[in-house]
Amino acid sequence: MNTQQAQHLLAVIYDSVTNSVFESQVFVPLVRMLDRGEITHVTLVTFEADVTIKHRLGALHHPAITIIVLKRYPLVGTWSLRLASWQLIISLDLASIDAIRARGSLAGLIAKHVISLWKQWYRSQTIPLTIQARGLCAEEYRFTSEQKVLSRAQKIVIAWRIKLYDIIERKSYRAATGVTIEVVSNTLGKHLQKQYITPATMITLAQHDLVEIVPPDLIARQRADIRALLTIPTDAYVFCYSGSCKPWQCAEETVLFFASEARKNAKAFFLILSQDIIAFQQLLNKYQIQPERIRLLTVKPAQLLTYLCAADAGMLLRKADVVNWVSRPTKLLEYQAVRLKIIHNNTVGQLANKKI
């Protein structure tokens, strides 16, 4: 992004600052853009069900970032997003905005409505808009719903919502002047071209939110420090999993994989970094994995890469589904940042057919 083009950036999110990746994938990349001089100020607008959330954002203070929290009302149709666009317009002076970045298709459609209204009212030039396509909203909702036992009434509601998300994505990703679609993977870009007829000329590959690679000497030091802290032998081969214990994360398959490796390799250790301690402990008990070969703990986001340095291989198993195929899992970026070998099952397009 050219400095002359975007002195003041408006960032719009709809998936909440409580999202686990907000700090690493939204806030930190904005700070990096400021540090590199690509922009001089950011107005971050977030739509929240609980507007008091702003009082809990003190730790994320930055002198060049202004955070505006607007009420997020229930999504009952595309008109709900038009209401959100009106909320945004009356909350700030768009005349001071040089460019807009919207995270995901819902925020993208809000931003499109805002720009359309602004042009109608003031007949001004189009504000450049970048919509960050993080995944497939309709498919993700369908995929997570399939993991649950549902009543007939719930299935009807879910089918309606999947259709709604599909409509939103079509409107958000279709051809438009002054709009760039920033995808997290080439496979996602190809899918948008096929599914939503998004012109290839509108698509660019996301680079600003990549996790910075840790220098080899620092990895070596932190590897030794964390292994000493966790009493992991220096000659152990450490498999690591970072994330939740949800079925669609293949948590049980991951534990089962290690159980098999542990039987073959007496020096195999398993480092699990997760908030779901109890759920993982139940899985470890189920497969009778020796406690002394497990290190199960929760770490703060800022410490995650430090702890990952203790590992040799990162686990990334996924179910075969288009949702996973087009994705760029955050844990993949984190594993790569500390140069871990990736153990995968060819379900993520970026890793498919790559040697594990």
Side-chain angles (χ1 to χ4, degrees), residues 136-150 158-159 161-162 165 246-250 253 317-325 327 345 347:
L136 302 171
C137 190
E139 294 286 3
E140 287 175 4
Y141 189 74
R142 183 266 313 160
F143 181 68
T144 54
S145 299
E146 289 175 349
Q147 316 303 316
K148 306 172 184 177
V149 178
L150 303 168
I158 286 171
R161 190 165 284 274
I162 290 173
Y165 284 143
K246 302 295 188 295
W248 52 89
Q249 296 270 22
C250 288
E253 291 87 341
L317 305 182
R318 287 288 189 273
K319 296 183 184 297
D321 190 277
V322 65
V323 168
N324 294 319
W325 182 256
S327 71
N345 57 342
T347 55

Side-chain angles (χ1 to χ4, degrees), residues 196-217:
Y196 298 129
I197 321 300
T198 308
T201 53
M202 286 178 59
I203 296 175
T204 186
L205 189 63
Q207 298 291 332
H208 75 284
D209 55 355
L210 298 177
V211 180
E212 293 184 4
I213 302 298
V214 180
D217 58 334

Side-chain angles (χ1 to χ4, degrees), residues 8 21 83 89 98 170 225:
H8 187 177
V21 300
L83 171 61
I89 282 179
D98 299 296
R170 289 184 185 278
D225 291 345

Side-chain angles (χ1 to χ4, degrees), residues 47 107 110 136 153 162 168 179 183 209 217 241 261-262 271 289 303 317:
F47 291 86
I110 291 171
L136 302 171
I162 290 173
I168 290 171
V179 178
V183 297
D209 55 355
D217 58 334
Y241 174 83
E261 290 296 313
L271 173 61
I289 300 176
Q303 298 177 306
L317 305 182

Side-chain angles (χ1 to χ4, degrees), residues 24 30 63 77 123 173 206 226 228 238 240 280 298 324 336 344:
S24 62
L30 290 175
R123 298 180 182 179
Y173 298 138
I226 298 301
V238 179
C240 181
F280 265 114
T298 298
N324 294 319
Q336 291 175 331
H344 66 95

